[in-house]
C-alpha cells in the first residue's frame, strides 16, 4: 500500500495503520584530554461480573566507572587509579545483601520483594478481568464466515500436573545468580523437573517436606552453602504465575536451537543475512509467549529481525578522527543513546556517556586487587585489545543489574562493542530500507514456512525434546485454525443526496474522487503562497494543478497571492509570515527547498502557537513534475486540496453511522524529542449529532512532566469536548465512544483504576448537573497495534474487515481483533481491541462494526487505517507537538484538523 503524502511537511508520513517507534540515535577519541562530555472499584462488565483482583552475570562484577569526587549522596570518595589523580577510578562496587524475608511472610509477592540479586523479573501484570461467566456472548455473527490460520501452536497435552512453589534462601548469602543456579543444579535428581530464578523454585513434584535444608559446595572454591527451601503455595497453571513458568520452560526448550539472547528475544546468529552494500546484517529470530486463551493454552510465535551494523564503536571513532576536526564531539554525537552488543557476554547496553580520561590501560579495583582493562579482558575472555589508548564508553546499568550489585555506570571498550539498530540517516536511505524490507517483510506464505521450520526444529532438537518431555508438554505441529468473519464493505458518501460508493475489496476509494464532490467544503478566497525565488515556476505549475483538482471536487479556490522570498532561511520565513498574518488570511502555503526541520518548526510555531492560521508546507521536490510533465502532479494536488479543505473545516466524505448524538474520542501520547522527561497527550473528538449532518471536530493537547498522571488531564479535556458539543448542538451527547491508544497489557489495571474511574466520575457530575439522571452511555476501548498475532487466509492476507473474536482471544476480556487495512507487501497486522468499560448496551456486533467504520474516516488517506481515525488524528497531533512545537498550540485552532 502506497503511503499517504504528509502535505504538512512534504514527506511521506508513516502508514496510517501504525508507526514503528524505534529508539532514536543521537549522538557521540583519543587518549589526550578528556571530558564527560490510586483508587479501587470494578469496571462494569458485559454481565456485571466483578474482576479478580535471565540476565547473564559473571561471579566477578563487571568493570564499573566511579566518579572520583562524588556528591554528598554518593558516599565516601573512591580511591584513585594507578593513573593520574584526576583519572576516574573503577570499583567492583560490592553491595551488602538485602534483608532476608520474615518467617511469617509467604507467597509470590514476598519472593519477588526479597530477591537478593538483579535477576528479579518485572512484576507480573495483574489481569484486568472485564468479563464474567454470565456475560453475554462476545462472539459476533455479522458478516461472511471464514476459516483462518494464526501464528499460534496448540499445547496438545493439557497441563494437568501440579506446580509447587518454594522459596530458597542461601546461608551464607550468595550474591551471584550464576552460582545460585549451580548450587541448586547439584540436586537435580531430588528436585526433578524444576525452574529456579534465584529465589523462587517451581517443581513439578512435591518435595518430601514443606521445609527442607540441602547442602551444596562451590566446585572451585570449596565454599559450603546451606539451601533453606520452604514451600509457599501450589500454583494454578492458568494464572499469571503458572503462565510465566510455562514461558520459562519454553525458553529453556528453545536453548536447544542454539539461538542467542539479544535483549529479550532469541536470534539465530548462524543464519544472519549480510547486506554488505550497506554494512549491516540481519539476525532472524523469534518472539514467543504462552498464554491461556479461550479454550486452550497456546504458544504464539512471531518472526523477528535484529539489525546489526558491521562496525564497532571503535570503527566510528576512527571515522570521526579522519573526517572531523573536533572528533570528540562528533564521536559523542554518533554513539550517545545508541544500543551496542558485547559479544563476549552477549549483552546489550545503552551508551550514556564517553570519557576520554580513561583508557583500557586504566585500572579498576577487584577483590584480588587492581587490574587493567587490558588484563581483565585477556584473563577472563581471552580477548586482546589492540588500541590501549582509546576512550571508554559509559553505560548506566539497568535497575535489575544495580540490585544484583553492579555499579550504576558500566565501563565498555569501544573495540568490543558492536553497533545495533539504524541511524536517522540510514532510515532516510530509501534504497537501504528497501533492501532490508526484501528480507524482513515476509509475505504470508513465507512467514508460515518460517513458523513451520521453527516448530520442526523444536520437535527434532534432542535438547528441546528432553525439556518438553520432563515437563510432559507436547506442541502441535500445525498452526492453529480459527473462525473469522468478513464484515460487509462500507459505503462512502460524498454528499447527502448521493447513494454512496462501495469502499472496494481493498478498502481504497481514491479513484472515486475523479467523479464525486467532497461532502462539505469551505470556500478558500484569502490565502497566500510563500515561496523562495528559485521555486516560483514549480509553485506556479502546482498551483494550477490544485485549482483544476479542486474544481472537479466542487471546492472553490480563488487565485492566491504569491509572495516570493530572496532566500529560504527560517528567519526570512518568520518575517514574511508576520507581514502576511496581519492581512487575516484563511490559510498560508509555504514551499521549502528541502526537509530540514528548522524551517518547518519555525513555520509551525509561528502559525500554530503564536497565531492561529492553518498552514500547508510543501517540499520543492514534491511539487516538481516528473520528466517535466505537469500532469504527473495531479495525484499530489488532489491530496493537497483534500487536506486543505479539512484544515479549513470541511469534510471530504462520510460513512453511515446509525447512532445519533454520538461523540467519538481518540487519545494518544508522544514524548518530547528535546526533553524525554516531558510528553504531550493529544485528544481529538468527532462530534456527530445527526447522521445526515456534517461532523464537527475538537482537539486539545496537554503537557505532562515526569510523575504527572494522565488521569489528571483526561477528564478535564473530555469535559472541554462535551462543552464544545453542547455549544454546537445545544445538548450533551447521548453516547460516548473512547479509543485509548498507546497502552500495554501491564498498564491495563492502572488505566482503569485512574483514567477510567476518574473519567466516569467526572462525566457523571456533568450529566447530573444537566438534569440527566441515567448512567452515561460510555464505551472505553484500549486499542493495541503492537501485537505479535497474525492471521492467514489460505496462505494469503485476510481482507479488510476481517474480525476474529474466538480461540486466540482471552476469556477474561471482551476483546477482538480487526484487520482494517490492506497491504501490498508483507503480512498484514491486525489491531487488538479490548473493551475495559461498557455501559452502552450495544451488542458486540455493533461495537465491532462501529470500530471498523471509524477506520474509514482518516482524511489524510482515501482508504482505511489500522486504528480508528480519532486515534490516528490524536497520534498525528501529539507527534506534531512533541517533535516540532514543544508547547501546546493555540486554542483558536481546536475546532479544525490543522495538524493533518
Amino acid at each position: 500500500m502506497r503511503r499517504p503524502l504528509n502535505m504538512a511537511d512534504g514527506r511521506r508520513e508513516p502508514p496510517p495503520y501504525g508507526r514503528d517507534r524505534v529508539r532514536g540515535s543521537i549522538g557521540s577519541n583519543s587518549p589526550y584530554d578528556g571530558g564527560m562530555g490510586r483508587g479501587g472499584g470494578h469496571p462494569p462488565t458485559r454481565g456485571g461480573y466483578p474482576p479478580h483482583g535471565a540476565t547473564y552475570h559473571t561471579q566477578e562484577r563487571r568493570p564499573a566507572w566511579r566518579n572520583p569526587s562524588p556528591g554528598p549522596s554518593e558516599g565516601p570518595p573512591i580511591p584513585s587509579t594507578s593513573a593520574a589523580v584526576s583519572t576516574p577510578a573503577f570499583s567492583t562496587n560490592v553491595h551488602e545483601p538485602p534483608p532476608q524475608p520474615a518467617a511469617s511472610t509467604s507467597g509470590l509477592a514476598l519472593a519477588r520483594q526479597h530477591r537478593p540479586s538483579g535477576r528479579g523479573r518485572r512484576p507480573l501484570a495483574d489481569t484486568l478481568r472485564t468479563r464474567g461467566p454470565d456475560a453475554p456472548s462476545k462472539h459476533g455473527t455479522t458478516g461472511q464466515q471464514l476459516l483462518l490460520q494464526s501464528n499460534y501452536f496448540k499445547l496438545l497435552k493439557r497441563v494437568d500436573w501440579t506446580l509447587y512453589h518454594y522459596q530458597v534462601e542461601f546461608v551464607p548469602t550468595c550474591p551471584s545468580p550464576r552460582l545460585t543456579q549451580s548450587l541448586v543444579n547439584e540436586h537435580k535428581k531430588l528436585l526433578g523437573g524444576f525452574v529456579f530464578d534465584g529465589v523462587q523454585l517451581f517443581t513439578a513434584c512435591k518435595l518430601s517436606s514443606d521445609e527442607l535444608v540441602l547442602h551444596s559446595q562451590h566446585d572451585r572454591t570449596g565454599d559450603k552453602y546451606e539451601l533453606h527451601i520452604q514451600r509457599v503455595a501450589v500454583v494454578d497453571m492458568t494464572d499469571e504465575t503458572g503462565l510465566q513458568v510455562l514461558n520459562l520452560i519454553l525458553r529453556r526448550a528453545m536453548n536447544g536451537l542454539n539461538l542467542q539472547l539479544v535483549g529479550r528475544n532469541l536470534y539465530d546468529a548462524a543464519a544472519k543475512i549480510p547486506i554488505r552494500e550497506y554494512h549491516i546484517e540481519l539476525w532472524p529470530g523469534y518472539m514467543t509467549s504462552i498464554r491461556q486463551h479461550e479454550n486452550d493454552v497456546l504458544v504464539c510465535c512471531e518472526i523477528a529481525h535484529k539489525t546489526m551494523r558491521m562496525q564497532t564503536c571503535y570503527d566510528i571513532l576512527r571515522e570521526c578522527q579522519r573526517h572531523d576536526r573536533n572528533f570528540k564531539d562528533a564521536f559523542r554525537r554518533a554513539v550517545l543513546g545508541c544500543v551496542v552488543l558485547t559479544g563476549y557476554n552477549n549483552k546489550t547496553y545503552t551508551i550514556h556517556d564517553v570519557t576520554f580520561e580513561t583508557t583500557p590501560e586504566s585500572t579498576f579495583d577487584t577483590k584480588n586487587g587492581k587490574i587493567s582493562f587490558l588484563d581483565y579482558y585477556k584473563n577472563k575472555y581471552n580477548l586482546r585489545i589492540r588500541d590501549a589508548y582509546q576512550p571508554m564508553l559509559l553505560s548506566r546499568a539497568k535497575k535489575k543489574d544495580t540490585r544484583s550489585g553492579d555499579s550504576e555506570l558500566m565501563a565498555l571498550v569501544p573495540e568490543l562493542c558492536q553497533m545495533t539498530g539504524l541511524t536517522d540517516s540510514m532510515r532516510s536511505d530509501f534504497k537501504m530500507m528497501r533492501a532490508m524490507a526484501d528480507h524482513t517483510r515476509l509475505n504470508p506464505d513465507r512467514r508460515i514456512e518460517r513458523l513451520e521450520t521453527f516448530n520442526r526444529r523444536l520437535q527434532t532438537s534432542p535438547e528441546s525434546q528432553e525439556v518438553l518431555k520432563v515437563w510432559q508438554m507436547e506442541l502441535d505441529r500445525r498452526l492453529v485454525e480459527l473462525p473469522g468473519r468478513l464484515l460487509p464493505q462500507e459505503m462512502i458518501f460524498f454528499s447527502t443526496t448521493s447513494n454512496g460508493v462501495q469502499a472496494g475489496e481493498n478498502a481504497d476509494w481514491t479513484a472515486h474522487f475523479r467523479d464525486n464532490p467532497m461532502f462539505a467544503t469551505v470556500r478558500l478566497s484569502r490565502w497566500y503562497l510563500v515561496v523562495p525565488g528559485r521555486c516560483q515556476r514549480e509553485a506556479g505549475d502546482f498551483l494550477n494543478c490544485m485549482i483544476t483538482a479542486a474544481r472537479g471536487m466542487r471546492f472553490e479556490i480563488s487565485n492566491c497571492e504569491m509572495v516570493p522570498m530572496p532566500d529560504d532561511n527560517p528567519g526570512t520565513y518568520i518575517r514574511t509570515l508576520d507581514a502576511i498574518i496581519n492581512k487575516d488570511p484563511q490559510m498560508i502555503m509555504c514551499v521549502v527547498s528541502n526537509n530540514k526541520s528548522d524551517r518547518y518548526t519555525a513555520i509551525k510555531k509561528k502559525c500554530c502557537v503564536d497565531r492561529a492560521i492553518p498552514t500547508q508546507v510543501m517540499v520543492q521536490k514534491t511539487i516538481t513534475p516528473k520528466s517535466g510533465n505537469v500532469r504527473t502532479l495531479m495525484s499530489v494536488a488532489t491530496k493537497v486540496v483534500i487536506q486543505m479543505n479539512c484544515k479549513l473545516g470541511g469534510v471530504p466524505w462520510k460513512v453511515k453511522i446509525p447512532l445519533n448524538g454520538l461523540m467519538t474520542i481518540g487519545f494518544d501520547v508522544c514524548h518530547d524529542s528535546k526533553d524525554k522527561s516531558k510528553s504531550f497527550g493529544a485528544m481529538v473528538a468527532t462530534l456527530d449529532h445527526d447522521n445526515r449532518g456534517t461532523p464537527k471536530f475538537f482537539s486539545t493537547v496537554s503537557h505532562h512532566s515526569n510523575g504527572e498522571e494522565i488521569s489528571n488531564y483526561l477528564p478535564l479535556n473530555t469535559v472541554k469536548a462535551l462543552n464544545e458539543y453542547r455549544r454546537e448542538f445545544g445538548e450533551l451527547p447521548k453516547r460516548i465512544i473512547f479509543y485509548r491508544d498507546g497502552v500495554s497489557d501491564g498498564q491495563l489495571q492502572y488505566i482503569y483504576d485512574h483514567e477510567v474511574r476518574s473519567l466516569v466520575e467526572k462525566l457523571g457530575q456533568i450529566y447530573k448537573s444537566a438534569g440527566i439522571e441515567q448512567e452515561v452511555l460510555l464505551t472505553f476501548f484500549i486499542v493495541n497495534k503492537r501485537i505479535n498475532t497474525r492471521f492467514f487466509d489460505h496462505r494469503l492476507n485476510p481482507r479488510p474487515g476481517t474480525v476474529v473474536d474466538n480461540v486466540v482471544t482471552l476469556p477474561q476480556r471482551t476483546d477482538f481483533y480487526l484487520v482494517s487495512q490492506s497491504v501490498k507487501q508483507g503480512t498484514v497486522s491486525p489491531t487488538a481491541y479490548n473493551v475495559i468499560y461498557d455501559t452502552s448496551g450495544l451488542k458486540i456486533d455493533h461495537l465491532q462494526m462501529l470500530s471498523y467504520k471509524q477506520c474509514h474516516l482518516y482524511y489524510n488517506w482515501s482508504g482505511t487505517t489500522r486504528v480508528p481515525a480519532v486515534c490516528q488524528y490524536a497520534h498525528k497531533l501529539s507527534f506534531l507537538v512533541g517533535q516540532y512545537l514543544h508547547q501546546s498550540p493555540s486554542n483558536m485552532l481546536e475546532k479544525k484538523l490543522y495538524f493533518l
Side-chain angles (χ1 to χ4, degrees):
M1 180 163 93
R2 186 171 173 78
R3 288 189 288 169
L5 279 172
N6 175 5
M7 300 307 173
D9 60 8
R11 293 168 289 195
R12 296 260 173 213
E13 88 172 81
Y17 40 85
R19 175 188 302 274
D20 288 331
R21 295 171 188 164
V22 291
R23 186 189 300 271
S25 205
I26 320 171
S28 141
N29 308 353
S30 147
Y32 306 119
D33 57 356
M36 293 288 296
R38 7 194 151 133
H42 303 302
T45 63
R46 305 183 67 81
Y49 179 74
H52 300 293
T55 305
Y56 174 90
H57 291 276
T58 56
Q59 184 179 353
E60 183 179 11
R61 299 294 176 212
R62 294 273 303 113
W65 188 86
R66 279 303 190 92
N67 193 315
S69 54
S73 62
E74 296 177 311
I78 305 298
S80 63
T81 64
S82 56
V85 176
S86 60
T87 304
F90 292 80
S91 165
T92 54
N93 191 27
V94 178
H95 287 200
E96 288 185 3
Q100 296 301 314
S104 60
T105 312
S106 64
L108 181 61
L110 176 147
R112 191 182 299 125
Q113 176 184 358
H114 296 284
R115 201 182 304 272
S117 72
R119 195 170 169 77
R121 303 180 191 282
R122 291 173 297 158
L124 291 172
D126 294 329
T127 301
L128 179 62
R129 185 178 294 274
T130 57
R131 177 177 181 77
D134 56 344
S137 172
K138 71 173 185 178
H139 308 313
T141 57
T142 302
Q144 174 190 343
Q145 298 294 322
L146 301 172
L147 181 62
L148 307 172
Q149 285 183 305
S150 187
N151 58 335
Y152 286 79
F153 297 102
K154 182 179 176 181
L155 215 57
L156 289 179
K157 289 187 178 180
R158 188 165 184 83
V159 181
D160 54 3
W161 33 262
T162 303
L163 193 68
Y164 297 94
H165 176 196
Y166 295 88
Q167 180 184 319
V168 182
E169 296 179 21
F170 293 86
V171 180
T173 301
C174 179
S176 166
R178 248 185 123 191
L179 178 56
T180 59
Q181 191 73 45
S182 173
L183 298 176
V184 172
N185 284 344
E186 292 183 22
H187 306 281
K188 275 184 181 180
K189 291 183 179 179
L190 174 67
L191 300 175
F194 71 91
V195 172
F196 178 62
D197 73 347
V199 167
Q200 301 174 99
L201 175 72
F202 298 93
T203 66
C205 59
K206 187 177 180 181
L207 301 183
S208 58
S209 173
D210 287 350
E211 293 188 14
L212 200 63
V213 178
L214 303 178
H215 299 273
S216 296
Q217 184 171 339
H218 195 300
D219 56 355
R220 290 203 310 269
T221 64
D223 294 340
K224 295 182 179 180
Y225 292 86
E226 287 185 357
L227 282 63
H228 294 255
I229 302 177
Q230 181 176 3
R231 186 155 78 95
V232 172
V234 177
V235 176
D236 179 0
M237 293 310 298
T238 61
D239 70 11
E240 294 290 345
T241 306
L243 295 176
Q244 184 187 43
V245 173
L246 288 176
N247 278 283
L248 293 174
I249 295 170
L250 178 63
R251 183 61 66 95
R252 183 175 294 179
M254 289 175 65
N255 288 340
L257 306 184
N258 296 320
L259 303 176
Q260 289 192 21
L261 181 66
V262 181
R264 292 180 184 170
N265 300 320
L266 292 164
Y267 297 92
D268 192 350
K272 61 187 175 185
I273 306 166
I275 307 178
R276 301 189 186 282
E277 182 181 358
Y278 300 103
H279 306 290
I280 59 174
E281 55 189 23
L282 299 173
W283 288 16
Y286 306 97
M287 295 183 287
T288 59
S289 65
I290 296 184
R291 195 162 192 170
Q292 173 69 51
H293 291 267
E294 293 292 349
N295 301 310
D296 301 292
V297 176
L298 303 178
V299 178
C300 178
C301 180
E302 172 58 348
I303 307 300
H305 291 88
K306 185 72 175 177
T307 305
M308 309 296 290
R309 285 146 66 181
M310 295 180 183
Q311 60 180 170
T312 64
C313 292
Y314 185 75
D315 296 330
I316 294 177
L317 172 64
R318 299 294 293 170
E319 285 182 16
C320 293
Q321 288 175 329
R322 284 194 296 268
H323 300 111
D324 293 273
R325 178 173 297 179
N326 190 353
F327 67 89
K328 295 179 182 179
D329 288 343
F331 181 56
R332 285 194 179 93
R333 287 193 299 271
V335 300
L336 287 185
C338 291
V339 177
V340 297
L341 173 71
T342 49
Y344 49 83
N345 63 356
N346 199 33
K347 287 186 66 174
T348 55
Y349 301 90
T350 301
I351 304 304
H352 295 102
D353 212 337
V354 180
T355 172
F356 288 85
E357 296 178 347
T358 307
T359 70
E361 282 195 331
S362 302
T363 61
F364 62 95
D365 294 326
T366 70
K367 61 184 179 183
N368 297 322
K370 294 183 181 297
I371 188 173
S372 70
F373 287 96
L374 292 171
D375 294 336
Y376 174 84
Y377 285 101
K378 177 64 177 174
N379 297 341
K380 189 160 188 64
Y381 300 106
N382 196 27
L383 292 173
R384 178 176 168 269
I385 298 175
R386 293 173 298 168
D387 186 351
Y389 301 103
Q390 59 190 295
M392 298 293 283
L393 308 173
L394 301 179
S395 174
R396 191 173 296 115
K398 302 179 179 100
K399 288 183 179 179
K400 61 181 180 180
D401 293 332
T402 56
R403 285 197 300 265
S404 71
D406 284 347
S407 280
E408 271 193 42
L409 285 176
M410 316 288 283
L412 305 170
V413 181
E415 200 175 297
L416 305 179
C417 296
Q418 183 178 0
M419 299 293 293
T420 70
L422 301 175
T423 64
D424 291 338
S425 61
M426 287 179 171
R427 292 190 190 95
S428 61
D429 187 336
F430 176 78
K431 291 184 178 179
M432 191 195 81
M433 298 304 289
R434 183 66 179 269
M436 289 179 56
D438 291 340
H439 301 284
T440 58
R441 268 191 206 151
L442 301 177
N443 289 330
D445 54 344
R446 288 181 61 196
R447 188 175 295 270
I448 291 173
E449 183 182 332
R450 291 272 294 273
L451 292 171
E452 290 173 341
T453 300
F454 164 77
N455 188 300
R456 195 160 47 247
R457 289 179 64 184
L458 203 62
Q459 302 277 8
T460 56
S461 165
E463 185 178 336
S464 301
Q465 280 301 296
E466 182 182 353
V467 173
L468 296 176
K469 186 177 180 181
V470 166
W471 290 95
Q472 304 168 33
M473 293 167 60
E474 184 180 349
L475 208 60
D476 195 351
R477 295 176 182 268
R478 300 168 301 169
L479 293 174
V480 164
E481 293 186 343
L482 68 164
R485 288 175 291 112
L486 182 63
L487 298 179
Q489 289 184 28
E490 287 296 327
M491 299 298 291
I492 308 298
F493 295 91
F494 293 97
S495 70
T496 54
T497 57
S498 70
N499 295 325
V501 297
Q502 284 196 328
E505 190 169 311
N506 293 322
D508 185 350
W509 50 95
T510 305
H512 294 292
F513 277 106
R514 304 190 186 108
D515 310 314
N516 291 281
M518 284 190 277
F519 188 88
T521 58
V522 177
R523 189 173 186 274
L524 180 56
S525 56
R526 303 184 318 278
W527 67 297
Y528 295 83
L529 176 57
V530 178
V531 55
R534 63 175 181 270
C535 304
Q536 279 184 266
R537 183 174 60 82
E538 291 92 340
D541 291 341
F542 185 70
L543 179 59
N544 293 332
C545 289
M546 286 174 55
I547 294 174
T548 302
R551 191 180 301 121
M553 291 183 284
R554 316 296 194 270
F555 178 26
E556 292 185 55
I557 296 184
S558 301
N559 227 333
C560 72
E561 180 179 335
M562 188 177 294
V563 182
M565 299 189 309
D567 56 57
D568 60 354
N569 293 325
T572 308
Y573 280 96
I574 296 299
R575 290 189 293 273
T576 306
L577 290 173
D578 278 331
I580 293 173
I581 288 172
N582 293 329
K583 301 176 183 179
D584 190 28
Q586 287 175 275
M587 176 170 283
I588 301 174
M589 176 182 280
C590 297
V591 177
V592 294
S593 55
N594 55 41
N595 273 328
K596 289 185 68 175
S597 62
D598 55 349
R599 286 191 215 94
Y600 183 74
T601 299
I603 293 169
K604 288 297 179 181
K605 277 190 174 181
K606 171 58 65 176
C607 296
C608 292
V609 179
D610 300 343
R611 302 294 293 270
I613 306 293
T615 54
Q616 190 77 24
V617 181
M618 302 297 300
V619 178
Q620 180 183 359
K621 181 180 177 181
T622 306
I623 65 172
T624 302
K626 296 177 181 177
S627 305
N629 184 2
V630 178
R631 297 294 299 174
T632 60
L633 294 175
M634 285 304 296
S635 175
V636 175
T638 300
K639 291 182 173 69
V640 172
V641 166
I642 294 170
Q643 200 174 65
M644 290 172 64
N645 182 43
C646 292
K647 292 182 178 182
L648 293 171
V651 174
W653 65 81
K654 279 188 64 175
V655 298
K656 186 176 181 180
I657 299 178
L659 291 174
N660 290 331
L662 176 67
M663 183 166 76
T664 310
I665 302 175
F667 184 86
D668 202 357
V669 178
C670 183
H671 294 297
D672 191 308
S673 60
K674 286 186 176 180
D675 185 351
K676 297 300 181 183
S677 68
K678 298 178 182 177
S679 59
F680 293 92
M683 175 188 287
V684 177
T686 304
L687 319 178
D688 287 291
H689 184 254
D690 182 355
N691 186 54
R692 298 185 62 84
T694 302
K696 307 293 183 181
F697 297 93
F698 175 82
S699 63
T700 184
V701 178
S702 297
H703 167 254
H704 311 288
S705 300
N706 271 348
E708 282 188 303
E709 294 178 0
I710 293 174
S711 58
N712 297 337
Y713 299 92
L714 192 140
L716 297 177
N717 290 337
T718 305
V719 170
K720 291 180 184 178
L722 287 174
N723 291 335
E724 183 59 32
Y725 191 102
R726 183 154 41 185
R727 275 193 294 269
E728 287 285 346
F729 307 116
E731 62 180 4
L732 291 171
K734 295 182 177 66
R735 182 176 276 106
I736 301 173
I737 308 293
F738 202 114
Y739 292 98
R740 172 71 158 91
D741 202 354
V743 179
S744 66
D745 268 4
Q747 297 173 302
L748 287 179
Q749 188 70 53
Y750 176 88
I751 292 295
Y752 175 75
D753 287 342
H754 296 81
E755 294 186 13
V756 178
R757 289 184 68 252
S758 58
L759 175 62
V760 171
E761 183 180 352
K762 195 68 177 178
L763 290 177
Q765 295 172 3
I766 296 295
Y767 276 75
K768 191 172 183 179
S769 65
I772 303 174
E773 294 296 332
Q774 71 177 49
E775 191 173 21
V776 180
L777 301 181
L778 169 68
T779 304
F780 197 102
F781 282 94
I782 297 295
V783 180
N784 191 356
K785 57 184 178 289
R786 301 177 184 285
I787 58 176
N788 295 327
T789 300
R790 300 291 182 269
F791 299 118
F792 314 107
D793 186 358
H794 296 88
R795 303 183 80 90
L796 298 174
N797 278 320
R799 286 164 286 177
T802 299
V803 172
V804 174
D805 54 18
N806 206 342
V807 180
V808 295
T809 50
L810 302 179
Q812 69 270 21
R813 297 181 183 174
T814 300
D815 60 341
F816 60 89
Y817 293 94
L818 173 62
V819 176
S820 54
Q821 85 286 3
S822 174
V823 298
K824 294 182 179 179
Q825 292 180 311
T827 304
V828 69
S829 298
T831 301
Y833 292 80
N834 181 16
V835 183
I836 67 170
Y837 185 96
D838 184 26
T839 55
S840 68
L842 295 175
K843 295 179 180 179
I844 190 65
D845 272 314
H846 298 151
L847 294 177
Q848 293 172 356
M849 293 173 67
L850 183 61
S851 298
Y852 185 45
K853 287 175 181 290
Q854 287 292 328
C855 295
H856 291 71
L857 297 173
Y858 180 61
Y859 297 139
N860 229 16
W861 172 245
S862 50
T864 48
T865 52
R866 188 175 170 188
V867 295
V870 284
C871 281
Q872 190 64 27
Y873 288 138
H875 168 71
K876 193 84 163 106
L877 177 55
S878 63
F879 185 78
L880 170 68
V881 178
Q883 294 291 313
Y884 301 106
L885 302 185
H886 309 293
Q887 53 189 310
S888 296
S890 168
N891 293 336
M892 302 291 289
L893 291 170
E894 61 189 15
K895 297 182 185 179
K896 299 177 181 178
L897 300 176
Y898 63 93
F899 43 83
L900 281 183

